[in-house]
Amino acid sequence: MHPLFGICFVVFHFLLPCTSAITDEQSLIDFRKSITLDPLNSLANWVPTVHFCNWTGVTCNSARNRVQLLELADMQLEGLKALYLSINHLQGSIPRNLTSCKELQELNLAANQLTGTIPPELSMLTNLRVLKLGSNNLSGNIPPSLGNLSHLEVLYMEDLELEGHIPQELGKLSDLTSFLLFENHRLTGPIPSSISNCSGLIELGLYSNSLTGSIPLELGKLSRLTVLYLWDNQLKGTIPATIANCTQLSELDLELNHLSGEVPLVLSRLSKLQALSLSSNQLVSGS
């Protein structure tokens, strides 16, 4: 089996109640175009003269002629570096053998009905740049091993059922530009100060969790940050004056926490700020 196309033996079950069979066929055609090498000529019958339900590796629901299963094992296929399966009705757990997709750069499984935990083995996808898992029924802890995805630029794990703490190891994601981890109401513990090591961060959304502790002073090191959403948590302490060092900030939302003390006057230096939300805290009146 060729390591460049490990998805060839990953099995997904599709339940697509809305789109038409024509869309199924076109999706398979687009998938075929992404294959750059088919040394065994395994997909030779993926042609218009053959019904797509009879194409090699394709299994359809017999009652509705809808694609239900795609299995392309041991075909030595090459080329596919992105897997987009978002906004479907995929069920079950994330296949752990996705780790054989050594060249995979983008993995989007968002907005499905996936259950189980986030496999720590995903950290073996060392070329991954985009990982989107949000809007599923995934539970359990965030694997610290995700911090080994050294090329990761986008990490979305919003609207899940995650619990435990945010691992300090995520601070090793030096290429990260967008990190969304919101609406995980059982996610507790502090915001890791190590997040400040993700110096390329532009967007940080950690709202609607149950995070505690104070806002790390180190967030002021994120000089490229334009959006910081920490609202609807259980954060305490004062607003760090160091946030004024995030000179690119255009949106800052800290409402619905337990923040206290005065609003730092130095926040007036944020000349690009367009939206500031501090309501529903315990801040000093008039500050």
Side-chain angles (χ1 to χ4, degrees):
M1 184 175 302
H2 201 287
L4 292 182
F5 199 65
I7 193 62
C8 58
F9 64 91
V10 176
V11 178
F12 282 100
H13 291 274
F14 296 83
L15 294 173
L16 311 176
C18 300
T19 56
S20 67
I22 296 177
T23 302
D24 286 2
E25 182 176 14
Q26 186 58 51
S27 297
L28 291 171
I29 292 172
D30 292 341
F31 176 86
R32 176 65 181 89
K33 289 178 181 178
S34 70
I35 305 301
T36 59
L37 182 63
D38 180 8
L40 304 181
N41 207 24
S42 301
L43 306 184
N45 71 338
W46 283 41
V47 294
T49 54
V50 178
H51 193 278
F52 69 87
C53 287
N54 295 321
W55 290 354
T56 300
V58 177
T59 300
C60 290
N61 182 306
S62 58
R64 299 164 55 200
N65 275 346
R66 301 300 315 282
V67 175
Q68 190 172 28
L69 182 68
L70 180 62
E71 187 172 14
L72 305 174
D74 297 318
M75 295 182 181
Q76 301 180 24
L77 303 175
E78 293 185 28
L80 188 60
K81 293 186 178 181
L83 180 61
Y84 300 107
L85 294 173
S86 60
I87 317 178
N88 284 296
H89 285 196
L90 297 180
Q91 299 177 344
S93 59
I94 298 175
R96 294 179 183 268
N97 55 10
L98 271 172
T99 57
S100 297
C101 309
K102 300 299 184 183
E103 297 299 315
L104 199 62
Q105 295 182 7
E106 299 185 27
L107 177 60
N108 188 347
L109 303 177
N112 280 289
Q113 299 172 7
L114 297 173
T115 56
T117 60
I118 298 175
E121 292 86 351
L122 290 182
S123 62
M124 298 171 64
L125 299 174
T126 54
N127 289 300
L128 209 59
R129 297 185 182 277
V130 175
L131 178 59
K132 297 182 178 181
L133 304 175
S135 299
N136 278 290
N137 298 316
L138 298 171
S139 58
N141 297 327
I142 300 172
S145 59
L146 294 184
N148 296 328
L149 296 172
S150 58
H151 297 295
L152 201 64
E153 298 173 4
V154 175
L155 178 57
Y156 290 175
M157 296 187 291
E158 78 282 6
D159 189 21
L160 300 173
E161 299 176 15
L162 299 177
E163 57 190 39
H165 296 179
I166 302 174
Q168 287 278 353
E169 287 82 355
L170 297 187
K172 297 190 296 183
L173 301 175
S174 58
D175 288 348
L176 201 63
T177 60
S178 183
F179 182 26
L180 299 184
L181 179 60
F182 57 83
E183 293 185 6
N184 287 275
H185 303 291
R186 290 185 289 176
L187 195 64
T188 60
I191 299 172
S193 59
S194 62
I195 294 295
S196 63
N197 296 326
C198 306
S199 57
L201 264 180
I202 296 175
E203 181 182 32
L204 178 59
L206 304 178
Y207 61 89
S208 291
N209 295 304
S210 296
L211 300 178
T212 57
S214 58
I215 299 174
L217 299 174
E218 293 84 354
L219 292 187
K221 297 179 181 179
L222 300 175
S223 59
R224 298 182 59 191
L225 203 64
T226 63
V227 173
L228 178 59
Y229 291 151
L230 302 179
W231 57 276
D232 192 18
N233 279 289
Q234 299 176 27
L235 300 173
K236 296 181 178 180
T238 59
I239 298 174
T242 54
I243 290 180
N245 296 328
C246 303
T247 55
Q248 302 302 309
L249 269 181
S250 61
E251 298 182 44
L252 175 60
D253 195 332
L254 307 177
E255 66 181 357
L256 291 168
N257 279 290
H258 303 291
L259 300 174
S260 58
E262 296 186 348
V263 179
L265 183 60
V266 291
L267 293 187
S268 62
R269 299 176 187 173
L270 298 174
S271 59
K272 297 185 178 181
L273 200 62
Q274 299 178 6
L276 174 63
S277 299
L278 304 176
S279 62
S280 299
N281 280 290
Q282 299 166 14
L283 299 170
V284 174
S285 177
S287 67

